[in-house]
Amino acid sequence: MKKPVIIALLAAGALLAYNALAKGAAATKLIFFPSGVTGLKFVNGSPEITFSVLIQNTSNQTMNFYSLAGNIFSNGYLIGNAMTRQGARISPNSETIIKITARLQVIGVVADLVRAIQGEGYKRTFEFTGAANFDKYQVPVNIKYSIG
């Protein structure tokens, strides 16, 4: 191969590697903010809550959101699971809202209420712990929300 072709191939490879690293770094800097409950229904006897999460992208990278999944805890006890496969494109320096469906375990919710009545009080810290897929990068997501 001629020297200019080799240099062009190396430059293209370096550019691709830089872009991949920049996207991966930007994906870990996304901000997640719980934005509100949008629905409640019962499916096969279990409560299913739909809520929205605001995703903010403060980078100069366009991010494609593919999915999110994880578990929901109340004061450290597992009470359910949440998932969405709603795709979204997040432009640089912008925000978008995604809808997440949470399937709660009846036994987990009842046990949580019993603990509250038995003396833990009614203050609750809900925590979502999971992962999101942004441009094929698995990004850890941890959202805490306290009431009471």
Side-chain angles (χ1 to χ4, degrees):
M1 261 196 239
K2 294 185 180 184
K3 192 173 184 179
V5 173
I6 292 173
I7 292 173
L9 287 174
L10 287 175
L15 185 61
L16 287 172
Y18 172 77
N19 189 39
L21 290 173
K23 271 208 187 276
T28 63
K29 303 283 190 261
L30 293 167
I31 299 167
F32 298 86
F33 183 76
S35 139
V37 174
T38 59
L40 171 64
K41 64 181 180 178
F42 286 85
V43 177
N44 297 327
S46 294
E48 206 173 82
I49 298 173
T50 305
F51 59 97
S52 54
V53 171
L54 178 70
I55 303 174
Q56 297 173 319
N57 179 7
T58 60
S59 76
N60 291 327
Q61 298 285 327
T62 296
M63 305 297 295
N64 293 305
F65 170 77
Y66 295 108
S67 63
L68 177 134
N71 291 318
I72 301 171
F73 299 87
S74 174
N75 288 7
Y77 296 97
L78 179 68
I79 62 166
N81 180 270
M83 165 104 190
T84 186
R85 288 186 296 267
Q86 167 200 339
R89 185 175 185 89
I90 307 169
S91 299
N93 299 303
S94 68
E95 61 190 27
T96 191
I97 293 177
I98 60 167
K99 302 254 189 243
I100 299 175
T101 301
R103 291 167 191 86
L104 301 179
Q105 299 172 326
V106 174
I107 191 71
V109 173
V110 170
D112 190 47
L113 289 172
V114 168
R115 282 190 295 276
I117 293 169
Q118 289 178 338
E120 282 189 19
Y122 292 102
K123 181 175 177 159
R124 289 283 164 264
T125 300
F126 295 99
E127 183 175 1
F128 172 84
T129 303
N133 181 341
F134 286 93
D135 286 316
K136 301 177 186 165
Y137 292 97
Q138 291 296 307
V139 178
V141 177
N142 296 302
I143 301 171
K144 285 188 179 181
Y145 188 75
S146 294
I147 58 171

